[in-house]
Amino acid sequence: MGRHPPLGLAPAVVAVVVVLLLLPGCASPTSPSSTVDRYLSAWSHADYSAMAALVVRPPPDFVTFNQQVADDLDLERATYGPGTATVSGSGARVSVTGHLVLVPFGPLVLHTTLRLTDTASGWRVL
């Protein structure tokens, strides 16, 4: 027959397992970097609705405005890469490099900065 652990050890093991399972729920549901990654992925795929879901109080015309800008630029494709997030309290900044291809002009490299804030539902773009 196999040996059983002493009864005093079992409750301690159960307590450790429960704590380890609950700890991730205590952390913020997102980080600035994960929010930026999702935002930039959506932007690269022209998924302006997904972008709007990551913005604090997006304007009502967020989707149509961004689509119109892409159409006006005759944007063939775009990819965006994040720099390192700089966090200060409940705010963060992340530099972004965009690689765009515009039909009439060819490749274009842009640099911008995203500002974020930590909200009750996680980090969001301002």
Side-chain angles (χ1 to χ4, degrees), residues 23-126:
L23 264 178
C26 296
S28 178
T30 62
S31 68
S33 296
S34 67
T35 297
V36 168
D37 288 345
R38 292 188 353 246
Y39 186 85
L40 297 181
S41 176
W43 201 1
S44 294
H45 293 95
D47 187 349
Y48 306 119
S49 295
M51 289 172 64
L54 297 169
V55 173
V56 173
R57 294 182 302 280
D61 66 343
F62 183 93
V63 172
T64 56
F65 175 82
N66 281 283
Q67 183 61 58
Q68 188 62 53
V69 168
D71 291 345
D72 289 347
L73 290 173
D74 208 357
L75 182 63
E76 184 177 319
R77 71 179 170 276
T79 58
Y80 303 91
T84 303
T86 303
V87 179
S88 178
S90 63
R93 290 181 178 269
V94 178
S95 61
V96 173
T97 302
H99 296 271
L100 289 66
V101 177
L102 308 177
V103 172
F105 305 109
L108 175 67
V109 177
L110 299 175
H111 301 279
T112 190
T113 301
L114 289 178
R115 293 182 315 121
L116 296 95
T117 188
D118 194 6
T119 69
S121 59
W123 287 90
R124 296 290 180 254
V125 176
L126 290 170

